[in-house]
Amino acid sequence: MKIHELKKAFELGKISRRDFLQRSAALGAVVAAPGSLISGVARAEPKRGGVLRLGMGGGSTTDSLDPGTHPDSIPINLEHQLRSYLIEIAPTGELVGELAESWEVKAGAAEWIVELRKGVEFHNGKTLTSADVIHSIQHHIRADSTSAVAGQMGQIADMEADGDHVVKITLKNGNADFAWLLTDYHVSVFPTEGWETGVGSGPFKLVSYEPGVRAEVERNPNYFKEGLPYFDGVEITAISDAAARDNALKTGQVDATNRVSQRTAHLLDLAQGVSVQKIVGTKHYTVPMLANVPPFDNVKVRQALRLAVDREALLKTILGGHGEVGNDLPIGLNQEFYNTELPQREYDPDQAAFMLKEVGMEGLAVELSAADAAFDGAVDAAVLYAEHAKAAGININVIRESNDGYWSNVWQQKPWSMCYWSGRPTQDWMWTIAYESGGAWNDNNWENASFQQLLKDARVEVDPAKRKDMYWEMQRLHWEEGAVVVPLFAADLMGVSDKIALPEDIAVNWELDGHRCAERWSFA
Amino acid sequence: MGLTRLIANRIAFGLITLIVITLLISLALEALPGDFAEQRLGQSATPETIAAIRAQLGLNEPILVRYWQWLSNFLQGDMGISLSNSRPVSELLATRLGNTLFLAGASAIVAVPLALFLGILAALYRESLLDKLISTSTLAAISLPEFFIGYILVALFAVNWQIFPAISSISDNMTLGEKIYASLLPIATLTFVIVAHMMRMTRAAIINLMQSPFIEMATLKGLKRGRIVVHHALPNALSPIINVIVLNLAYLVVGVVVVEVVFIYPGLGLLMVDSVTSRDLPIVQACILIFGATYISLNMLADILSIISNPRLRHPR
């Protein structure tokens, strides 16, 4: 019985929960448990109290509370505990107001009016006003900003307070998806006194923080969301070693972990009192070519290289099967306006060889720069790619680069390199940051006039039907001629103790329930 | 007096060595690909933000200028602030150093007497089954990588039997007892790693001396073998043993980052690795100074103890 058949049988009540778990374990599969599996009795009324202990990878001694620089998971998760955002992405994927009670956009999508919730209190007792919001966003866009999102927030031309509870934001150019940008984990709201103290209006207050070691927070009794959070406090312990995270979870020293190793996930899932939750969202691995550098300026070369990789084999070897094969689009299968008509690109070395022959480039030799800084297993993936391409007569020479400085010295600099993207919730956002011509993070320099024009037009278009057509056309263009190979979508795996009651819907935008586990989860 | 002058000399040379090390580290860090701004921003870097970070932290100055600024501040007692999170380096170091010294001290308290005891025992019953058992087991332990020993201990004592915690994330608000309990597995791991070296040296040094005429004399006097070893051989064998013990103590302070990673022990090693990765120069310098000073002072201590334990060196003619 295949895993999806098992799931189906379980959902239809043909097999019991125990049967389901045993049989799926026997298949060596780690399953995203069907909603009903975790709900039922536990979900009736979430229990209050207890301290959630998270064992997380992705922290460093050099982390800080500056929302502009959060480089990895622990500071991002902590940010969601301490501070609130104007708008949040609900577990089901749609936008809901957090500090914003409502927002409206004027025609042309350049003028945004955000109305703030009233009576929201910061941890220091101060009441939230529009000045705090403007100050917080200013942190990312003032001239000498060191924020990682200085680029994408730079589209804001002007901000203006209209009384204490309305903020008017004017963009340099229209952007119908601007509200999504306000959910970015960097763009939290802190009081005008500054971010240094960790004061925000989030569900928890900071008790102690030793970067790279642990963080401790306690319940914010004045939290503006009625009844939340369920936990009395949260403790994050930084555990950089995947095996140590597994052990801490198995011995009950932590209640949940992120980044379960793809290679050992099936073993962790077998352990008593623990389950592995798998989420496939927008995180994808890419192999960008610089389309203005020979031989990648030749569309046939790009197409041949896309055909010369066995994605299924990569999925099995690099991700242990925990993910999906990519279709050379940086857009997740479940995302809005995903072009479902494009066929999955398969491994076809004969076709690749034929295409190269057409342009007289048989026996093509290219260099591929790789380092595990791009993603865990990137060097292995590059070597496998080279092996697969041999069947097409393509000779890929894998250059092993240094992990340090990879993003500055190799990515975007070398003609062909390995890369990863955590993905973005909207089409416009993803295409803009990495594919728009002239963008700071454009890593492929693919200049296709109609693609670029569609990107601009779709951004200011508010009619969903028209947007769909535009995004479908853009995806088709990129699928046919683009310069980025997208071989894999990687799953996020988290380990969760049975003591935790997970909500029915788990967000897919970031790991640990969109990094909002502290607010959304409770003890069973 | 000879000894005082020697110590003064050694301290002076030690300080010069330390300064040279910090200069070398600065240059080495500069030679690595990627500077602080690039490492900090990673994939999300843009030329503007990199320039802004460099300008704010003064990273555009040549490395020698920055080194000189650091050195002059340091000589005035200011260790600077972390580039990454603006915390004072001294504050960052204080807890971490305490934790590292706690782990090193606890491991030494267990490992050193154990090694001496086993070494003497092995020398006493040389070539016996006991000797072979001690030698084989300690050598086997030192031959395994420390992370492997760590994982085995965790698998058995934490996961399987659930006696000790799998992660030793100790904090300031724990009592001494709790700290020791939490750190037992890393202490055991480190003990396994360092016992063999010290035990072998004890055994070899004593056996070596057992051939000497004064031991023969003691034997002829009719003394018991145990008394000969402990009272006659051991004091004369101390010098090489002390050297090895001190080297191992230095290792306990500076070389245990792998054990820290396996047990999530918040020590200096992790701080240093994180800081090197992010090119946070002030922290790296401070760690290097501590590590360097540990090595230099422990080596000096070894020499001094050797002299004190050896009357011939204590009273040179």
Side-chain angles (χ1 to χ4, degrees), chain A residues 158-174:
Chain A
D158 188 39
M159 287 183 292
E160 201 184 314
D162 182 2
D164 272 356
H165 294 100
V166 175
V167 179
K168 278 189 192 164
I169 302 175
T170 313
L171 306 181
K172 290 174 183 157
N173 297 300

Side-chain angles (χ1 to χ4, degrees), chain A residues 453-517:
Chain A
Q453 191 55 47
L454 280 167
L455 178 55
K456 287 197 176 62
D457 293 347
R459 192 177 294 146
V460 289
E461 180 58 65
V462 282
D463 175 4
K466 285 187 192 155
R467 296 189 89 190
K468 185 203 136 191
D469 290 344
M470 291 167 156
Y471 285 127
W472 275 42
E473 176 63 5
M474 281 169 63
Q475 289 170 77
R476 189 188 63 77
L477 285 170
H478 187 268
W479 188 84
E480 279 174 3
E481 295 179 23
V484 178
V485 190
V486 186
L488 293 174
F489 272 73
D492 272 325
L493 300 176
M494 53 184 180
V496 183
S497 155
D498 290 354
K499 284 186 283 181
I500 298 286
L502 293 175
E504 231 164 278
D505 293 305
I506 294 182
V508 299
N509 53 331
W510 293 105
E511 55 188 31
L512 293 173
D513 209 350
H515 277 305
R516 287 177 182 265
C517 53

